[in-house]
Amino acid sequence: MQEEKQKAQTCTQDMTEYWVERSYSYSQQVRGQMASDRRDIWEGILLDNAPKQDRPLRVLDVGTGPGFFSLLLAQKGHRVTGVDLSGDMLDRARENAQYYGVEAEFLHLDGGDLPFADESFDLVISRDVTWTLPEPAQVFQEWSRVTRPGGRVLYFDANWYHYLYNPDFRRTHEENQRICREKGGFQYDKADVMEEIARDLPMSKWLRPHWDIRHVPAFGFSQVTAIENLNPIIYTEMERMQYQSKQEFLVIAEK
């Protein structure tokens, strides 16, 4: 038990250090999305699947990074709190909130526990975070705990490193990488580092969102559904090439 806890802490630390290095470039990426037609697409997906209320929603953005989702929903008048393990990311999120003239609260997390009372939020959102969780059960239980009855959790993710465990995914991944190289696509200069981190993360082993639909209800949700392969909707033509082997999905968990 102590060994597993130590491994989880190490994975969290390694992931946080990686995103410290990426904070500036990721923030610039967010500003690019805010200025593109993708902004309205993301906003529409979030609002179409959010709980319907006749008042501003109380929203928690977990792993907010530079604040993209927080910015979108704060601009629509919702009360947003963004949390992240990286202080550098939170600094970028505050800068972006000021830049776009929106009000949102950004708080630093220290581990998986959320510093909020039970049933504090109508909506919990997250983007490309769940694959990084060293202890997913703890996190899903926390998300359920802070969600009000009738509220929802919306989280986006993909099988980013499932190819480490699945030969078919490996072949598809390698072919996609070859095409990206030939067409001048973006190549991660620390791909090997991220693979080593991902090997110790349990969510990389499971085929998703099938795993989520089957297991997430046990953490306190009445209904869990998924929308698969959002790539043609959310990505530009270049991004679709880049992520052809990594199909983004949305999981909708209702409490």
Side-chain angles (χ1 to χ4, degrees):
M1 180 65 71
Q2 184 63 32
E3 182 179 348
E4 290 298 317
K5 186 173 182 179
Q6 181 62 44
K7 181 182 289 188
Q9 291 173 342
T10 300
C11 285
T12 299
Q13 182 179 351
D14 290 344
M15 190 67 67
T16 302
E17 290 174 356
Y18 171 81
W19 286 112
V20 165
E21 296 180 16
R22 283 285 314 277
S23 64
Y24 176 76
S25 62
Y26 193 21
S27 183
Q28 293 303 112
Q29 181 180 337
V30 163
R31 292 198 182 190
Q33 289 178 314
M34 291 292 289
S36 75
D37 61 348
R38 304 295 103 179
R39 176 203 176 285
D40 293 337
I41 292 171
W42 278 108
E43 179 186 289
I45 294 172
L46 288 172
L47 294 178
D48 287 348
N49 292 285
K52 302 301 182 281
Q53 301 284 353
D54 57 0
R55 57 173 174 76
L57 297 176
R58 187 76 176 86
V59 181
L60 177 64
D61 181 8
V62 181
T64 185
F68 182 55
F69 280 179
S70 292
L71 297 172
L72 293 181
L73 294 183
Q75 284 183 334
K76 302 302 291 187
H78 298 293
R79 298 169 54 206
V80 182
T81 299
V83 295
D84 206 286
L85 294 171
S86 168
D88 291 70
M89 284 292 187
L90 293 170
D91 288 341
R92 301 296 182 187
R94 295 183 186 103
E95 290 172 0
N96 288 331
Q98 184 175 16
Y99 180 83
Y100 290 101
V102 299
E103 291 188 11
E105 181 182 31
F106 295 102
L107 302 175
H108 184 260
L109 282 185
D110 184 16
D113 292 338
L114 297 171
F116 307 107
D118 295 355
E119 302 178 1
S120 294
F121 297 95
D122 302 295
L123 177 63
V124 177
I125 55 177
S126 184
R127 178 185 179 189
D128 298 337
V129 166
T130 55
W131 77 269
T132 72
L133 301 177
E135 298 178 289
Q138 174 193 1
V139 172
F140 285 124
Q141 288 167 352
E142 278 290 274
W143 289 4
S144 175
R145 180 184 66 79
V146 301
T147 302
R148 293 169 178 161
R152 286 186 173 184
V153 173
L154 307 179
Y155 61 91
F156 300 82
D157 218 328
N159 288 293
W160 297 108
Y161 291 95
H162 190 56
Y163 65 83
L164 296 173
Y165 298 94
N166 185 307
D168 292 335
F169 272 69
R170 166 68 75 175
R171 285 189 289 271
T172 302
H173 165 73
E174 290 177 348
E175 176 64 12
N176 188 206
Q177 291 294 96
R178 182 188 65 78
I179 293 172
C180 285
R181 286 193 298 270
E182 290 179 354
K183 296 188 176 182
F186 175 73
Q187 298 289 312
Y188 289 102
D189 58 359
K190 291 198 173 183
D192 293 344
V193 174
M194 291 303 292
E195 283 189 356
E196 286 308 308
I197 295 173
R199 288 183 193 279
D200 288 328
L201 294 170
M203 299 294 266
S204 297
K205 302 175 184 178
W206 304 324
L207 183 62
R208 307 176 63 203
H210 307 291
W211 180 92
D212 304 75
I213 293 171
R214 181 177 179 182
H215 293 282
V216 170
F219 301 119
F221 297 98
S222 62
Q223 184 176 1
V224 177
T225 58
I227 302 174
E228 297 191 57
N229 193 15
L230 293 170
N231 293 25
I233 302 171
I234 62 174
Y235 289 146
T236 65
E237 183 177 353
M238 178 62 76
E239 289 169 335
R240 288 197 295 273
M241 178 193 72
Q242 189 79 39
Y243 302 122
Q244 185 175 359
S245 62
K246 315 292 194 308
Q247 296 182 358
E248 191 88 5
F249 57 80
L250 165 63
V251 174
I252 306 159
E254 187 166 352
K255 187 169 177 184

